Amino acid sequence: MDFGLVLQTDPPASQVVSLMKRAERNGFRYGWTFDSAVLWQEPFVIYSQILANTQKLHVGPMVTNPGTRTWEVTASTFATLNDMYGNRTVCGIGRGDSAMRVAGRAPNTLARLGEAIEVIRDLAEGREALVDGNPIRIPWIREGKLPVWMAAYGPKALALAGQKADGFILQLADLYLTEWMIKAVRQAAVEAGRDPDAITICVAAPAYVGDDLAHARDQCRWFGGMVGNHVADLVSRYGEHSSMVPDELTEYVKSRQGYDYSHHGRAGNPSADFVPDEIVDRFCLLGPAEAHIEKLRALRDLGVDQFALYNMHDAREATIDAYGSEVIPSLR
């Protein structure tokens, strides 16, 4: 199992780079960041510094979207980083939540997302693609490589990930839901004539190592609020108790009362007060290192290839170090 570190690009950028260097020293192979231009600093500028200050770490957004950047710019940016530092980038992409909504736009449609996945990958790898009906090829790219991993929750999005993406990003660590969603992605891949085992499975969730569970839950409760934005969309689309979406995912958002993106992804987010302890425990990894190892082994048995650790809480360095000394060696 591979491990990734997920950060917000809060200033100072030097701290983001420092934490990524620390992660690489502790055995993490991927460095991910949020991508929301209004809420945080520009991640692609910071990726250049992360790549320059690490040796093998792969970097990318968790996640970008096809609406806030034109597709040829996205592809060229990834290709430039790859040309400078070797093929060490990965494009995590989704419909767009905070990046689109904060700017007053609705998330992208799945049809637009599916088209963007293919266009961005083709352009970044030096092939011609149609952009707004016009054939475009970036002529200077040589031996470019850009895996595109798609974030998804709902049945149509899961199907799209199986049909077109190189990897699937699931932003929660509940064992039942992970199994259900991996099966949906792989089934869609089979139906599309693809090898289901060729799709990389990445589970992303907060992790907090320590014995004080009450404190750990409070530090990670924000995650249930963040996931709840996507779940609320699913409920509005499919209704409550739909056969298309498990109740284990949708039940907890009944008491959700709006969402303030100024606290998005942060410990103490007041918009996450509706998230019960049970959801925090199911969606996150909490407790002593042994508890993390046990849950990660169960995730690995379900087919998870990478665990990406959201590290937005008050024990960032300690969690990275605990994973490096105790957790990662047990899963490799």
Side-chain angles (χ1 to χ4, degrees), residues 204-228:
Y208 196 109
V209 180
D211 295 324
D212 188 343
L213 278 178
H215 181 72
R217 287 177 182 134
D218 286 342
Q219 286 292 302
C220 298
R221 197 175 307 277
W222 62 266
F223 184 66
M226 186 182 84
V227 174

Side-chain angles (χ1 to χ4, degrees), residues 261-284:
Y261 278 93
S262 65
H263 305 285
H264 189 58
R266 300 186 186 279
N269 183 350
S271 296
D273 288 348
F274 71 95
V275 180
D277 288 350
E278 176 197 0
I279 288 295
V280 183
D281 292 347
R282 283 172 46 198
F283 285 11
C284 304

Side-chain angles (χ1 to χ4, degrees), residues 122-123 125-129 134-142:
D122 282 345
L123 290 176
E125 295 185 348
R127 294 184 295 275
E128 182 179 283
N134 300 308
I136 293 176
R137 188 179 71 83
I138 302 176
W140 50 263
I141 294 176
R142 299 289 183 272

Side-chain angles (χ1 to χ4, degrees), residues 47-204:
Y47 294 157
S48 189
Q49 284 297 303
I50 295 171
L51 290 165
N53 284 275
T54 56
Q55 285 71 52
K56 297 181 179 179
L57 200 71
H58 287 65
V59 304
M62 188 175 281
V63 294
T64 193
N65 72 87
T68 54
R69 308 172 197 274
T70 60
W71 303 351
E72 68 273 19
V73 170
T74 299
S76 181
T77 304
F78 276 112
T80 300
L81 291 171
N82 284 336
D83 189 64
M84 292 172 68
Y85 300 107
N87 289 327
R88 291 168 55 199
T89 66
V90 56
C91 177
I93 195 168
R95 293 177 59 224
D97 178 37
S98 64
M100 296 295 286
R101 296 186 201 271
V102 168
R105 306 183 187 107
N108 296 271
T109 65
L110 286 176
R112 179 173 171 83
L113 175 57
E115 183 182 359
I117 288 172
E118 295 183 327
V119 169
I120 291 170
R121 180 171 50 211
D122 282 345
L123 290 176
E125 295 185 348
R127 294 184 295 275
E128 182 179 283
L130 289 177
V131 179
D132 296 328
N134 300 308
I136 293 176
R137 188 179 71 83
I138 302 176
W140 50 263
I141 294 176
R142 299 289 183 272
E143 299 181 359
K145 184 66 177 176
L146 182 66
V148 181
W149 298 4
M150 178 182 156
Y153 291 110
K156 293 181 180 178
L158 295 169
L160 181 63
Q163 292 159 4
K164 296 194 175 185
D166 300 301
F168 164 48
I169 297 172
L170 173 58
Q171 291 163 308
L172 54 80
D174 177 78
L175 297 179
Y176 173 81
L177 293 172
T178 297
E179 182 177 19
W180 185 85
M181 293 185 186
I182 289 175
K183 285 182 178 178
V185 169
R186 287 180 169 165
Q187 181 60 39
V190 170
E191 292 173 357
R194 304 181 69 202
D195 177 3
D197 294 327
I199 300 174
T200 302
I201 307 295
C202 175
V203 160

